[in-house]
Amino acid sequence: MPVGEHSTDEQLMRLALAEAHTAAQNGEVPVGAVVSLDGRIVACAGNRTIGDCDPTAHAEIIALRAAAQAVGNHRLTGAVLCVTVEPCAMCAGAMIQARIARVVYGCDDPKGGAAHSCFAIFEHPALNHRVAVTGGVLAAECGGALQSFFALRR
């Protein structure tokens, strides 16, 4: 689906999975993210931590940066960020700073997930912005991408 087309959560996740597969082909942990605003795709990205030699180059961060550039505003009010794996604390914080409306994720991350697995950052009462969370979209496919990637490295 080209940037600019309307989409559903499952369609967004399929795009995010394609980004994750590209990341894996580049030797990166297969995580992909897509940002949608007003029902239109504004940014897509996969992990680039190794390639960019940047510990902050998670798919979500790259997608948020690209989306902000695309719309010309550091606030992405009303945006949906779809990511294949439950966001980490860094990415959750960036989503709050960007003022996205909702995050949609695929599989849980029991070792670092910040939506509910390890932390519930989006629910913290002291924060001045709330991000709605939808988890489990195409969870088996998203988890399978990670399992396949790491199985090849063992």
Side-chain angles (χ1 to χ4, degrees):
M1 173 176 300
V3 169
E5 285 196 25
H6 291 277
S7 56
T8 66
D9 288 353
E10 189 171 309
Q11 289 171 322
L12 289 174
M13 190 61 73
R14 294 210 181 280
L15 286 174
L17 276 164
E19 293 291 330
H21 290 305
T22 299
Q25 291 171 347
N26 293 327
E28 303 280 355
V29 174
V31 178
V34 174
V35 177
S36 173
L37 184 61
D38 298 326
R40 298 187 177 280
I41 309 298
V42 293
C44 300
N47 267 3
R48 293 197 327 229
T49 57
I50 297 166
D52 288 1
C53 197
D54 178 357
T56 70
H58 289 195
E60 300 98 304
I61 300 295
I62 296 166
L64 286 170
R65 287 176 180 156
Q69 289 293 314
V71 302
N73 194 333
H74 68 289
R75 299 286 192 228
L76 298 170
T77 306
V80 174
L81 190 148
C82 183
V83 60
T84 56
V85 181
E86 180 181 3
C88 71
M90 174 185 69
C91 293
M95 290 175 210
I96 291 164
Q97 292 301 314
R99 304 296 193 264
I100 68 161
R102 187 165 69 103
V103 61
V104 176
Y105 71 88
C107 62
D108 290 342
D109 180 359
K111 294 182 179 181
H116 83 262
S117 293
C118 294
F119 308 103
I121 289 176
F122 298 115
E123 298 173 20
H124 197 285
L127 296 174
N128 64 343
H129 177 72
R130 296 285 173 261
V131 175
V133 178
T134 302
V137 176
L138 300 179
E141 289 181 51
C142 294
L146 286 169
Q147 289 172 344
S148 297
F149 177 82
F150 288 113
L152 292 172
R153 278 150 181 73
R154 292 187 183 125

